[in-house]
């Protein structure tokens, strides 16, 4: 039986739907690491208290999900460079000297899923990133690390896309625009990769995209997963995108990276992803 020293949890509100316990248990079984992993529901104004209580009860680390990633960023004593850039934290490691180390594995998870599971080459590719919220911010750094030709950020609220482009253009070619901009309506050679980071799919909607903007061999990726209907992925299908993917792979890959932060071991994700599908 794992001791309290091997206690982990995902904290969120709501958290009931989370697949993280299932994924982490599969990783633990596969690697032979004895640990427990539970769901921790925190009231919206009681995030810090819930984290401290879990820690006092012997917790060694946590995943943080919506809507607490920004609060987690504020609470961490030490931040990894990728958490600093994302300004959001989805993993805590409670260190032996009483500090909270905050990391962000979301963007890593996306890039790893694209490259490892979908065999996608990002170097020199034209990427259209839909949305300019927290997840777009978290994905930008890891995407730019792979040297794409350019990233166009399109968002309903243009000034949010512009702020992100201004901040990230020191790492590569990043431009912001609205959905009615000619860069999005009529790109020169089409986009090699379109990533939907908006929450439109949950509302049964998709950003207003023109047809014929996907390059030959192009990929369409939605961060959302588990929806019975996804208008963006349906659109990608009708536009004959070569690869169409939801965010389940990203979820599993960010979880594997969290596992690595806690235990120093990277579990195999292929079998876990296949099991969940
Ligand atoms: P935010 O609330 O920070 O941002 C939402 C974005 O969606 C904004 O850019 C907003 O535009 C845009 N948007 C919302 N509704 C519409 C619409 N109807 N049409 C066009 N644009 C719209 O959310 P997050 O970035 O934190 O999360 C986005 C999604 O990513 C969530 O669904 C989340 O579940 C998923 N996610 C998946 C992960 C995974 O592991 N697979 C990890 C992290 C997130 P505006 O600025 O104009 O309001």
């Amino acid at each position: 039986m794992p001791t309290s020293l091997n206690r982990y949890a995902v904290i969120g509100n709501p958290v009931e739907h989370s697949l993280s316990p299932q994924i982490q248990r599969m990783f633990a079984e596969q690697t032979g690491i004895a640990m427990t992993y539970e769901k921790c529901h925190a009231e919206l104004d009681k995030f810090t208290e819930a984290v401290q209580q879990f820690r006092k009860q012997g917790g060694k680390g946590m995943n943080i999900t919506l809507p607490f990633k920004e609060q987690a960023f504020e609470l961490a004593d030490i931040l990894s460079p990728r958490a600093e850039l994302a300004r959001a934290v989805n993993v805590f490691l409670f260190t032996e000297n009483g500090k909270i180390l905050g990391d962000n594995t979301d963007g890593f998870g996306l890039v790893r899923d694209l490259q490892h599971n979908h065999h996608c080459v990002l170097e020199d590719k034209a990427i259209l990133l839909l949305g300019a919220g927290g997840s777009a911010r978290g994905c930008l750094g890891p995407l730019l690390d792979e040297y794409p030709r350019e990233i166009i950020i399109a968002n309903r609220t243009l000034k949010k896309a512009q702020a992100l482009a201004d901040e990230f253009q020191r790492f590569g070619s990043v431009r912001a625009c609205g959905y009615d901009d000619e860069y999005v309506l009529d790109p020169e050679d089409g986009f090699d990769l379109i990533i939907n980071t908006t929450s439109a799919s949950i509302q049964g909607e998709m950003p207003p995209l023109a047809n014929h903007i996907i390059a030959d061999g192009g990929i369409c990726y939605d961060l959302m997963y588990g929806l019975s209907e996804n208008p963006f992925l349906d659109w990608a299908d009708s536009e004959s995108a070569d690869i169409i993917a939801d965010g389940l792979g990203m979820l599993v890959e960010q979880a594997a990276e969290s596992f690595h932060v806690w235990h120093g071991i990277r579990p195999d994700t292929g079998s876990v992803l296949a099991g969940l599908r």
Side-chain angles (χ1 to χ4, degrees):
M1 201 40 201
T3 68
S4 62
L5 289 175
N6 292 314
R7 206 171 154 206
Y8 296 84
V10 55
I11 184 166
N13 182 342
V15 75
E16 293 69 30
H17 66 286
S18 176
L19 293 175
S20 294
Q22 207 179 328
I23 295 170
Q24 294 294 342
R25 276 180 214 132
M26 286 195 257
F27 289 159
E29 204 168 302
Q30 183 196 113
T31 56
I33 287 181
M35 63 183 269
T36 60
Y37 190 101
E38 55 207 85
K39 292 176 191 172
C40 175
H41 176 98
E43 293 308 323
L44 294 176
D45 59 346
K46 295 276 187 305
F47 172 71
T48 302
E49 290 86 336
V51 171
Q52 300 298 14
Q53 190 186 1
F54 182 71
R55 200 173 158 199
K56 271 191 211 130
Q57 291 167 347
K60 284 191 82 175
M62 292 181 118
N63 280 126
I64 299 95
T65 189
L66 297 174
F68 296 126
K69 292 182 189 182
E70 281 82 15
Q71 284 188 57
F73 174 79
E74 297 297 332
L75 186 63
D77 300 304
I78 308 160
L79 291 165
S80 68
R82 55 191 181 185
E84 197 119 38
L85 202 56
R87 282 204 222 132
V89 158
N90 76 323
V91 191
F92 279 155
L93 171 69
F94 304 135
T95 67
E96 280 175 13
N97 59 359
K99 303 280 187 209
I100 301 180
L101 172 71
D103 197 354
N104 189 310
T105 63
D106 281 335
F108 173 94
L110 169 70
V111 168
R112 171 102 183 154
D113 187 37
L114 284 166
Q115 293 180 327
H116 188 74
N117 301 324
H118 299 292
H119 312 290
C120 171
V121 176
L122 296 170
E123 188 175 348
D124 203 33
K125 294 295 158 66
I127 300 176
L128 175 62
L129 193 72
L130 308 172
S135 59
R137 162 177 284 282
C139 293
L140 269 169
L143 284 170
L144 285 163
D145 281 346
E146 301 304 318
Y147 305 104
R149 185 162 72 247
E150 65 173 352
I151 299 183
I152 307 278
I153 308 169
N155 196 44
R156 215 168 42 173
T157 312
L158 180 58
K159 67 175 188 210
K160 279 168 70 180
Q162 193 60 61
L164 274 188
D166 289 349
E167 193 179 333
F168 280 85
Q169 64 191 1
R170 65 198 156 118
F171 300 111
S173 172
V174 189
R175 245 186 313 195
C177 62
Y179 290 112
D180 55 357
D181 198 294
E182 62 174 309
Y183 290 129
V184 178
L185 291 174
D186 190 16
E188 221 165 275
D189 299 312
F191 294 105
D192 301 297
L193 172 61
I194 303 180
I195 304 171
N196 186 14
T197 77
T198 74
S199 43
S201 308
I202 314 170
Q203 308 149 24
E205 293 172 13
M206 66 169 275
L209 297 179
N211 292 338
H212 316 302
I213 62 167
I214 308 173
D216 282 349
I219 301 172
C220 288
Y221 192 104
D222 197 319
L223 260 57
M224 274 304 302
Y225 54 87
L227 298 176
S228 52
E229 297 279 318
N230 185 318
F232 172 70
L233 296 184
D234 290 346
W235 170 82
D237 190 32
S238 69
E239 288 292 299
S240 307
D242 214 39
I243 298 173
I244 298 169
D246 69 9
L248 188 65
M250 173 177 173
L251 179 79
V252 172
E253 296 296 346
Q254 67 75 28
E257 183 69 357
S258 301
F259 193 90
H260 182 257
V261 169
W262 296 325
H263 308 294
I265 296 174
R266 196 179 302 282
D268 170 61
T269 49
S271 55
V272 171
L273 191 49
L276 289 173
R277 291 236 186 258

